[in-house]
């Protein structure tokens, strides 16, 4: 049921977008031949006529469109209108065309603001996107030093390794990246361990023969994991410049754990031994708020499974809404913050910092949205719909032919050259990019289905 609700909300956003185009066109006296909800692929669910506009609902509910007589000169509407008719889109002034083209984007932005303001007025609060993360208890079965480090139940976690913690995901992420034998070591630590090995074993060459015994330096911690705010916010892929161990070197790390000496059972490269003993653990520095005092606990070690052994209590922080003025200002602030995050995320995707394989679409959004409604209620579902509405506006503004931004780009070019562009060339370019967008959509849907099957969502 929650998935159906989410699918309805997404369809509503598409409807609002196309209504923006439709109403703007009618306001300028432009005839609208066709109003379609969904893409013209597969069967038609519903079709009717409203005035001189045909309304169609397609089974493939992943988009929408508004078409004018100018879009197809072979249709009846085009044949019945003179070429110089003021009802034709192409006979309107450039600024009027631009308004019609951008009206869908404007409608999505307005609707997003309406949804957030409705939530603010009805629920008297808005999420701050921040959470208080507390230590609720310890898990004695987990072999870490958390319980003996001085941490106590009730401590509020405020900082880990220099990064402010505003949700449990950030804390868990840093803990997991700090586990024993993670398979990555810095070049500096590797070089130091190689030097230590050579000093402890001056008679050993680059190859250690089978049956030879060597001394091992004591285990030492690696460097703390430091990540950017973008990574912690989940809008940038985590990357490390450390050296990655091979499968054999990882197995050797486990074999040498806790040993001071090692008698080889086969030939080993000295460098492989150095890699293996370099991979130990990355210490955690955790700052907590206890009462009104901040306390920092250094050199916390996870278990070999990447667990710290603490049970968390997470409380979401809401911004209270106490007046009509705050409904407007808080709603605007909420949208501005989330729009900046989406723009940053889009830039990370375009610049390659986030791989295309992490791109998801309608299937994933519907699944995640349904889960959010089930677990957190309609407040979060409506707010997610508002964010998606802004996302639709941003995507449609991109200067890509077949999108609204592409049409605006062609209008700008017309203004620049002082004449209309060749219709056949524009149609050809738009057709190519429309095909590419459909292929991208298929790829994204495949990503969504794969993520669902592999339980990544």
């Amino acid at each position: 049921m929650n998935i159906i609700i989410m699918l309805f909300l997404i369809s509503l956003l598409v409807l609002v977008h196309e209504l923006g185009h439709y109403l703007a066109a009618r306001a300028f006296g432009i005839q609208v031949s066709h109003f379609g909800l969904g893409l013209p692929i597969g069967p038609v669910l519903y079709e009717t006529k409203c005035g001189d506009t045909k309304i169609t609902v397609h089974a493939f509910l992943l988009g929408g469109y508004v078409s004018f007589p100018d879009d197809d000169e072979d249709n009846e509407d085009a044949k019945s209108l003179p070429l110089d008719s003021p009802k034709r889109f192409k006979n309107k002034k450039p600024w009027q065309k631009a308004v019609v083209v951008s009206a869908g984007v404007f409608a999505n932005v307005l609707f997003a603001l309406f949804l957030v303001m409705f939530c603010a007025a009805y629920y008297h609060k808005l999420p701050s996107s921040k959470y208080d993360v507390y230590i609720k208890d310890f898990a004695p079965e987990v072999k870490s030093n958390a319980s003996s480090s001085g941490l106590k139940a009730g401590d509020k976690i405020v900082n880990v390794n220099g990064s402010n913690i505003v949700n449990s995901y950030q804390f868990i992420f840093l803990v997991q990246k700090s586990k024993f034998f993670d398979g990555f070591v810095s070049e500096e630590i590797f070089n130091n361990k190689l030097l230590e090995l050579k000093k402890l074993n001056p008679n050993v060459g680059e190859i250690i023969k089978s049956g030879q015994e060597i001394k091992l330096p004591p285990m030492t911690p690696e460097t703390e994991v430091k990540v950017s705010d973008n990574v912690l916010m989940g809008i940038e892929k985590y990357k490390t410049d450390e050296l990655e161990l091979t499968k054999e070197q990882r197995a050797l790390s486990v074999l040498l754990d806790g040993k001071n000496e090692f008698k080889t059972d086969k030939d080993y490269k000295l460098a492989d031994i150095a890699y293996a003993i370099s991979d130990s653990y990355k210490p955690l520095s955790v700052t907590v708020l206890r009462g009104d005092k901040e306390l920092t606990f250094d050199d916390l070690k996870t278990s070999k499974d990447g667990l710290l052994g603490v049970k968390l209590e997470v409380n979401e922080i809401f911004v209270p809404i106490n007046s009509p003025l705050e409904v407007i200002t808080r709603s605007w602030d909420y949208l501005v913050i989330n729009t900046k995050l989406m723009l940053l995320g889009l830039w990370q995707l375009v610049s390659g910092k986030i791989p295309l394989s992490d791109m998801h679409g309608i299937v994933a959004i519907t699944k995640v949205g349904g889960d959010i409604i089930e677990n957190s209620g309609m407040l979060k579902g409506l707010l997610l719909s508002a964010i998606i509405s802004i996302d639709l506006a941003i995507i449609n503004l991109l200067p890509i032919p077949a999108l609204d931004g592409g049409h605006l780009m062609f209008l700008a070019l017309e203004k620049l050259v002082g004449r209309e562009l060749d219709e056949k060339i524009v149609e050809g370019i738009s057709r190519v990019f429309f095909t590419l967008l459909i292929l991208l959509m298929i790829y994204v849907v495949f990503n969504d289905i794969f993520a669902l099957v592999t339980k990544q969502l």
Side-chain angles (χ1 to χ4, degrees):
M1 182 63 184
N2 293 318
I3 289 179
I4 295 175
I5 293 173
M6 196 64 218
L7 188 60
F8 168 77
L9 290 171
I10 293 172
S11 300
L12 182 60
L13 300 181
V14 175
L15 178 63
V16 166
H17 181 91
E18 299 308 328
L19 274 175
H21 292 305
Y22 175 82
L23 294 175
R26 300 301 300 201
F28 289 124
I30 301 171
Q31 184 171 326
V32 179
S33 300
H34 209 154
F35 185 103
L37 182 61
L39 295 180
I41 301 173
V44 172
L45 298 180
Y46 176 77
E47 193 168 79
T48 187
K49 190 89 171 181
C50 181
D52 52 11
T53 302
K54 182 190 291 185
I55 300 173
T56 304
V57 179
H58 299 277
F60 199 62
L61 289 171
L62 292 178
Y65 60 93
V66 168
S67 64
F68 308 114
D70 315 64
D71 296 330
D72 184 4
E73 291 296 340
D74 293 328
N75 66 35
E76 294 182 3
D77 289 338
K79 292 177 180 179
S80 64
L81 286 177
L83 293 178
D84 60 350
S85 171
K87 290 185 177 182
R88 286 181 175 269
F89 176 80
K90 67 179 182 180
N91 293 330
K92 294 301 178 180
K93 296 178 181 179
W95 71 267
Q96 293 174 320
K97 294 179 183 178
V99 169
V100 173
V101 169
S102 58
V105 168
F106 185 66
N108 276 134
V109 173
L110 278 183
F111 192 65
L113 184 59
F114 165 77
L115 283 176
V116 179
M117 288 178 61
F118 171 80
C119 290
Y122 185 81
Y123 293 97
H124 303 291
K125 62 181 181 180
L126 286 175
S128 67
S129 300
K130 295 181 180 180
Y131 298 76
D132 287 331
V133 182
Y134 295 90
I135 296 175
K136 184 178 181 181
D137 201 357
F138 295 92
E141 70 276 7
V142 176
K143 294 181 179 179
S144 75
N145 66 344
S147 59
S148 61
S149 66
L151 291 172
K152 292 183 178 181
D155 286 345
K156 177 183 174 182
I157 301 170
V158 296
N159 190 286
V160 176
N161 294 353
S163 295
N164 292 329
I165 300 300
V166 297
N167 58 54
S168 58
Y169 162 81
Q170 296 175 340
F171 176 75
I172 294 169
F173 175 87
L174 287 167
V175 168
Q176 290 180 340
K177 293 301 178 184
S178 303
K179 71 175 183 178
F180 273 83
F181 312 137
D182 67 339
F184 293 88
V185 299
S186 72
E187 188 171 5
E188 180 183 0
I189 290 178
F190 162 72
N191 288 330
N192 290 339
K193 289 298 179 184
L194 184 60
L195 186 60
E196 287 183 55
L197 276 173
K198 289 179 178 180
K199 286 182 178 180
L200 286 172
N201 306 277
N203 299 322
V204 170
E206 296 300 322
I207 301 295
I208 306 171
K209 296 295 183 179
S210 177
Q212 195 170 0
E213 190 169 294
I214 62 170
K215 295 180 180 179
L216 301 175
M219 175 184 283
T220 53
E222 299 180 60
T223 308
E224 287 182 356
V225 174
K226 301 280 188 180
V227 297
S228 67
D229 291 340
N230 288 346
V231 170
L232 285 181
M233 286 190 293
I235 57 176
E236 182 179 336
K237 196 79 171 179
Y238 172 72
K239 293 180 180 179
T240 178
D241 56 1
E242 293 184 319
L243 305 172
E244 185 174 4
L245 275 62
T246 65
K247 183 179 180 182
E248 292 75 18
Q249 290 166 350
R250 290 185 183 216
L252 193 54
S253 293
V254 178
L255 180 64
L256 300 180
D257 181 30
K259 292 184 178 180
N260 298 320
E261 294 179 343
F262 175 53
K263 187 174 183 179
T264 60
D265 56 350
K266 63 179 182 178
D267 291 354
Y268 284 97
K269 291 180 181 179
L270 187 65
D272 287 339
I273 301 291
Y275 274 116
I277 61 176
S278 297
D279 189 15
S280 57
Y281 71 95
K282 296 175 170 67
L284 288 161
S285 176
V286 178
T287 300
V288 301
L289 186 64
R290 185 178 296 169
D292 57 354
K293 293 182 179 180
E294 282 195 356
L295 303 172
T296 300
F297 300 90
D298 297 317
D299 201 35
L300 268 71
K301 305 170 189 172
T302 73
S303 69
K304 292 175 183 177
D305 296 321
L307 301 175
L308 193 58
V310 295
K311 299 177 182 179
L312 301 178
E313 179 181 338
V314 182
N315 298 324
E316 186 170 7
I317 302 172
F318 287 92
V319 177
I321 308 295
N322 299 313
S323 69
L325 179 61
E326 285 188 344
V327 168
I328 299 172
T329 57
R330 299 293 190 187
S331 298
W332 178 257
D333 290 343
Y334 180 85
L335 278 183
V336 167
I337 291 171
N338 283 279
T339 300
K340 287 180 179 178
L341 290 175
M342 280 189 290
L343 288 172
L344 183 56
L346 179 62
W347 171 249
Q348 303 287 0
L349 184 66
V350 171
S351 62
K353 292 184 178 180
I354 295 179
L356 194 62
S357 58
D358 284 358
M359 187 176 180
H360 293 290
I362 184 70
V363 177
I365 291 172
T366 303
K367 168 63 169 61
V368 172
D371 291 343
I372 287 175
I373 292 173
E374 181 177 356
N375 297 322
S376 304
M378 277 304 298
L379 169 62
K380 290 294 186 70
L382 291 173
L383 290 175
L384 175 62
S385 300
I387 300 305
I388 297 171
S389 190
I390 292 292
D391 188 51
L392 282 174
I394 292 172
I395 296 299
N396 271 284
L397 267 182
L398 294 176
I400 299 173
L403 295 179
D404 296 340
H407 292 302
L408 290 173
M409 179 182 66
F410 286 133
L411 288 173
L413 287 174
E414 286 183 3
K415 186 70 175 177
L416 189 64
V417 300
R419 59 180 175 81
E420 288 188 0
L421 303 177
D422 188 294
E423 288 186 14
K424 291 185 178 179
I425 294 177
V426 172
E427 287 177 5
I429 294 173
S430 298
R431 194 176 296 113
V432 169
F433 276 89
F434 179 76
T435 302
L436 291 175
L437 286 174
I438 293 296
L439 292 175
L440 178 61
M441 189 179 297
I442 293 172
Y443 172 78
V444 169
V445 169
F446 173 80
N447 267 358
D448 291 350
I449 295 173
F450 180 79
L452 287 173
V453 172
T454 57
K455 298 182 178 180
Q456 297 176 28
L457 291 175

